Amino acid sequence: EIVLTQSPGTLSLSPGERATLSCRASQNVGSTYLAWYQQKPGQAPRLLIYGASSRATGIPDRFSGSGSGTDFTLAISRLEPEDFAVYYCQQYGNSPFTFGPGTKVDIK
Amino acid sequence: EVQLVESGGGLVKPGGSLRLSCAASGFTFTTYSLNWVRQAPGKGLEWVSSISGSSGYIFYADSVKGRFTISRDNAKNSLHLQMNSLRGEDTAVYYCARGGSGNVYLIDWGQGTLVTVSS
């Protein structure tokens, strides 16, 4: 099983600042089998990024994904008030298709 | 517009069974994988099971293998999860999610149905 580790656990930032979230895999997940999701309280998750760097439909370009192999990054260039949420990475290269534990981005 | 609507959640005793369903609309049903993901109260996301469009590929998390069975009815645009031998640790909101074409990134999600396993 591929274990995903996300860091930091919590990121405290102000609106307008840049956020950088990390996702590290215990094994190579391939160059493209990594997705990022955003979840707000009481809501279902929303797909942000798939294939490590492709934005899902309707996702603003302030969200960007990068990385390959075992190290991946989600960047939010300028935080908007609606971006404060929990972010999860998921690998879908090998079953079980595991999620990371999440990074909470909260308002400083 | 893609819609995924889960049903069938509720309170069940340990060792009991429950069948979840997900009604899908707004996309070509047989083209996409369908998936179940759960989230225990206050916890993170846990992938549970996936089934390909033709039901030719089925995968389970180790935590549910042998107890849960995923299936789909392509004539009725529906997804199911038969859950047997339920345990307290199965308590969670269960989400139905549409996968990408040929992949298991999760494009669209339902609102979830709560399963509570307690005596």
Side-chain angles (χ1 to χ4, degrees), chain A residues 37 39 44-45 47 88 90 96-97, chain B residues 39 44 47 103-104 106 109-110:
Chain A
Y37 303 86
Q39 188 179 33
L47 176 68
Y88 295 94
Q90 180 216 9
F97 305 116
Chain B
Q39 187 168 35
W47 170 80
N103 280 297
V104 189
L106 306 170
W109 299 63

Side-chain angles (χ1 to χ4, degrees), chain B residues 39-61:
Chain B
Q39 187 168 35
K43 302 298 184 182
L45 302 173
E46 181 186 12
W47 170 80
V48 172
S49 184
S50 297
I51 186 168
S52 63
S54 63
S55 303
Y57 295 96
I58 290 177
F59 303 98
Y60 295 100

